[in-house]
Structure formats: structure tokens, C-alpha cells
Amino acid sequence: LTEPDAETHANTGFRRVLEDVLNRVDREELVHLARALVRIPSVYRPEESDGNEARVARFVADYLERAGFEVSIEEVAPGRPNVWAVWEGDRSGKTLLFEAHTDVVTEGSAEDWEHPPFGAERDGGRIYGRGACDTKGNLAAAMVAVRAVKDSGVSFPGSLILCHPVDEEGMMAGIKAFIERGHAEGVDAAVICEPEENQLCIKQKGALRVEVTLRGTMAHGAMPQSGVNPVTRAARFVVAVEELEGEEIERHGEDPFLGYPSLTPTILMGPDCGEPQINVIPASAYVALDIRTVPDQSHRDLVERLECIIAKLASEDPDFDATLEVIEERPPTETRKDESLVRAMARAYDHLTGEEPTYNGVPGATDGTFLHAWAGIPIVTTGAGDREIPHHADEWVDEEELLTTCKLYAATAMYYAYGEEAHV
Ligand SMILES: [Zn+2]
């Protein structure tokens, strides 16, 4: 009689408990839950009394309470509650957080939809509806995955958190409040559940939103010399921003996952308030910039360069009077491939599919931006759903892909918690 060596023993043990967990992932339960979530509209419409996330948050909380989780609910603004649940395994270890927002973008005009936007219709192996892809399918997958780990009764070294904030599609007030109120303390890593075709997104573009206000002097259009025109000065600024964009592209090149950085003027307005009139030089003008950055760009340097443009234009023209304000800053993020969450997820992906995962980047910011930038938490963004489909009419998610996502989340939790115990 020979004893199996310790490693083989641990391996067999881990494989067995992993299968116990994955066997708990039930396709019909997952589809049922995803459809139930899609049926509850959670578009933020402040002018409507239930135009918020309150109902879907209540539904998520009830589901998790019934499943035996300890659930917390905390309002970020009236009618806009974050929901989260913490589950602790029987052994101490690292804490992994799954984040999936509860809000969805507007459905637009219902006539543009073939499937009703909140009908959650099941057709040809797909679920249709606003949020099916971004991100209620993935929200359901995270809930079912963590529940599978808990209900399997396996020994689990660590803790799992389900975090479902409001307002991701707006100013991300939900995740910001979650972090500011200390709830992200002690979190070692986070999975951001967003539609990424189950690719492992380890980089995210950053975003800077900048407003520039230019002051002039109102005058009759027939006597321009008696005023100061802020419109032509705004135009000079916009042209200089285009040059700066070219320099930034030159400086940083093309990121393999994120492409090029961009500085895009999106609004040019004069006057910036009040009534425009064709024969009146306005007293003010306004320019808004939507700036998207790659990980090796510094937001501080960029803002300095914009300030330099304004200083240079002012040195050439004593009437050039402009002020710049950064109204939102979302830093770019990068998680290394050798980070333990990335390694755990790659092993989970290989276990489920027999293939290497595809790595990629996220072109926009997500709630993960703030978990990374404000709380220093390594993140990976992944989930089911076509990367191009979010915010479209007839948004959909493929059920089979969503089932893989759910298993990927569950297996990632296992590989991450077991770490070196999960030798292959
Ligand atoms: Zn989303």
C-alpha cells in the first residue's frame, strides 16, 4: 500500500471540491434570475417617483436574504440604495469581491425594439431586454456563483463579497460611496462583472472631463471692435487641443488593448448661458472636453499641458480670459498578468474551456476604476455579452455564454481562495 504524495492528494481534493461547487451552478436558475432582473426597470429618471434602482435593489436583497446571506442596504441618495452581502468561509483567507451594478441606461424609444425592452423574452438561446447584456445577466451570474460556493458546503479559505452599487451609468456615486464609507476595506481583489465576451480585461482607459469657460465683452455684431469675442478665442483653444492630442498619440503610441489616447471637444457653446443671437457678440463661451487616457499617461501632466495652452494663448492676446475646471477624473487602470486574481481566473478559464483566456482592455471606465484608483484593489473585468451590444436596442445575452460566465466566477473564487493549494 502506497500513500499518494501530498501534492497529488491536495490536487485530487481541490478538483473534487471544485466540481462540488460547479455542479451547484444551475442553468435554469441562472436564466430565471437574469430574466427577473431584466423585468425590473432600473433606469435613473429623477422626474419619476420610481425612476431609480430601489426596486431592483430590494429584489437582489430579498434573493440573497432567502439564500442565507447577511445583506446590507445603504442609500446613496433617496431611492438609490447600494446592496451588498458578505460571506465568510470556514477558514480565514483572502477577500474577493464581485461587483455588478444594478442600474441600466435608458431603453430609448420602445418602437426601436423588436423585443419589449423590459420583457426579458427568451428566444433562440438568448435573453433580450435592457440590461440583459449590461449587466443584469452578469449580476445574476455573480449571485448564483457565490451562492454555489456557499451552498456546496466545501471548506473555503477566505471571504466573498457581492457588491451591487447604483449609478454606474451616471457618475458612479454608488461605488464611490461604498469606498468612502469604508466597505471596500480589507478587499484583496475584485471581479468587475461587465459584458466582455468572457475575455479577461486587465486594462481600462481613464477619463477626464474638463470644462473651459471663456469670458469676453458683449457687443453689437456690427461693431465687433467695441467688444471681446470669446467665440473666436474658444476656437483657438479647440485647435490647440487637437494639436495636443497629436502630441499625446506620438508620445504614448498605441496600447495593444486600448488603442490610442484621445482628447475630444464635445461641446462648444457661446454664450454659455442665456439666449444666443446672430448680431450679438456673447459675453462668454464654453468648451467641454472628453479625454480618454491610457495607463502610462498622467492626468496631472495632461491638465498641466491644457493649462499651458491657456497661458500661451493669454500671453499672445491680452483679451484671452479662460478658466479650466476638471469636473470628473477616472484614472486608467492596469492589473498585471502575474497578479494572483488574474492567475486564478486564467486557471479557472482553462479548467472550464481547456483553452487559454483572451486578454483585453475596457475602452470606458467602470466601477472598477474607483476600486482600483481609490482603494488600491487589483481588478479584472469580465462577463458575458457582446462588447458592442451595451446600450443598443434589442440588447441580448447568450444563455450558454452566461452559464460559462457563472462557472468562471465560481471557479475563480475557488482558485483564488485556494491559491497554491489548487495545484494542477
Ligand atoms: Zn455596465
Side-chain angles (χ1 to χ4, degrees), residues 101 134-135 168-169 194-195:
H101 59 88
D134 184 9
T135 204
E168 195 269 349
E169 303 288 4
E194 293 278 2

Side-chain angles (χ1 to χ4, degrees), residues 77 91 100 117 285 303 345 347:
R91 291 188 276 153
V303 172
M345 195 172 262
R347 291 169 80 181

Side-chain angles (χ1 to χ4, degrees), residues 222-256:
M223 290 163 282
Q225 69 285 354
S226 70
V228 172
N229 194 343
V231 174
T232 43
R233 290 168 174 88
R236 282 181 220 151
F237 175 74
V238 167
V239 169
V241 167
E242 191 181 25
E243 279 165 23
L244 176 59
E245 180 184 61
E247 289 163 24
E248 289 296 309
I249 288 170
E250 190 98 329
R251 222 186 319 267
H252 300 283
E254 185 179 15
D255 183 281

Side-chain angles (χ1 to χ4, degrees), residues 385-418:
D386 190 299
R387 283 161 58 93
E388 306 275 323
I389 287 290
H391 306 187
H392 285 214
D394 285 310
E395 182 182 331
W396 54 271
V397 71
D398 181 90
E399 291 178 15
E400 197 61 39
E401 191 186 342
L402 189 61
L403 182 65
T404 302
T405 302
C406 189
K407 289 181 177 172
L408 179 62
Y409 292 164
T412 298
M414 293 295 292
Y415 275 101
Y416 182 73
Y418 275 72

Side-chain angles (χ1 to χ4, degrees), residues 99-101 103-104 133-136 138 168-169 192-195 365-367 390-391:
E99 189 277 344
H101 59 88
D103 59 322
V104 295
C133 172
D134 184 9
T135 204
K136 285 177 170 169
N138 295 311
E168 195 269 349
E169 303 288 4
I192 310 305
C193 307
E194 293 278 2
T366 67
D367 281 343
H391 306 187

Side-chain angles (χ1 to χ4, degrees), residues 27-41 56 59 117-123 126-132 136-141 397 399 402:
R27 178 179 178 143
E28 284 311 305
E29 187 201 355
L30 172 63
V31 170
H32 185 82
L33 180 58
R35 295 179 70 203
L37 291 165
V38 171
R39 279 194 208 100
I40 306 171
V56 77
F59 179 91
F118 301 104
E121 281 182 359
R122 208 174 173 182
D123 187 5
R126 294 173 171 183
I127 304 165
Y128 285 88
R130 177 54 84 227
K136 285 177 170 169
N138 295 311
L139 167 56
V397 71
E399 291 178 15
L402 189 61

